[in-house]
Amino acid sequence: MIIVDGKKLDWIRGEEIEMTIKRAESYHPFMIISLNGKWIRKEEWGRKKVRNGDEIRTLLMIAGG
């Protein structure tokens, strides 16, 4: 099992972070991701595999003034 923004999901062996956040319906084009408390570069989302027990948190980037 993995956790994405507080939601429990079944772990899928070999799945990358990008697919996991899309499956959790947490994907947004302007966001940053933390995997087990460590920030992950966007270019790594499609390469870095999620492991059983991982926790992913997303943070939306918004503009203001």
Side-chain angles (χ1 to χ4, degrees):
M1 177 182 57
I2 57 174
I3 299 173
V4 180
D5 292 332
K7 296 182 210 173
K8 294 179 181 180
L9 296 174
D10 289 331
W11 173 64
I12 297 175
R13 183 182 301 272
E15 185 173 62
E16 296 87 9
I17 292 173
E18 187 170 15
M19 292 307 298
T20 302
I21 60 173
K22 286 180 178 178
R23 184 165 59 96
E25 299 178 355
S26 292
Y27 183 84
H28 190 276
F30 302 107
M31 64 186 289
I32 55 176
I33 293 176
S34 152
L35 175 64
N36 301 321
K38 183 178 178 187
W39 297 110
I40 304 296
R41 294 177 185 261
K42 189 168 186 168
E43 51 271 2
E44 294 180 55
W45 296 359
R47 295 189 309 253
K48 189 159 187 68
K49 306 287 187 213
V50 177
R51 297 186 316 214
N52 195 22
D54 280 349
E55 183 172 358
I56 299 171
R57 294 192 177 261
T58 63
L59 180 65
L60 296 179
M61 305 298 285
I62 57 171

